[in-house]
Amino acid sequence: MCAWCAEHASKHSLHQKHAGHQALAASISAHAMWFHRPFRADEWFLYDQESPIATGGRGLARGRIYDLQGRLLVSVVQEGFRAV
């Protein structure tokens, strides 16, 4: 569940970075997650994400998932592309 949420949110982040560019398809080409400590999926968490660069139809998305106490639970990095 955590992986699906991270991928879906990262696609949205990359889409915003490429705003204004018409795309026929979008896909994630590389996806890595590091689980730093155990957590329960039914508890609250914050997914902080950014897309620091998007150029030439490709983009990078990074994310960090925190628990209610502010402890880092998961780190996420994804590369995506958009076919135009």
Side-chain angles (χ1 to χ4, degrees), residues 18-33:
H18 279 284
H21 297 88
Q22 192 70 352
L24 298 175
S27 181
I28 299 296
S29 60
H31 183 170
M33 297 181 76

Side-chain angles (χ1 to χ4, degrees), residues 20-57:
H21 297 88
Q22 192 70 352
L24 298 175
S27 181
I28 299 296
S29 60
H31 183 170
M33 297 181 76
W34 294 269
F35 293 86
H36 305 299
R37 56 177 45 100
F39 64 95
R40 293 176 47 110
D42 63 344
E43 293 180 350
W44 181 95
F45 60 89
L46 169 71
Y47 184 34
D48 177 37
Q49 63 180 2
E50 65 176 339
S51 180
I53 187 163
T55 184

Side-chain angles (χ1 to χ4, degrees), residues 47-78:
Y47 184 34
D48 177 37
Q49 63 180 2
E50 65 176 339
S51 180
I53 187 163
T55 184
R58 294 173 57 180
L60 179 70
R62 296 186 294 215
R64 292 163 301 278
I65 299 174
Y66 298 93
D67 66 10
L68 191 56
Q69 290 76 35
R71 296 177 297 191
L72 180 62
L73 303 174
V74 183
S75 297
V76 179
V77 178
Q78 295 188 45

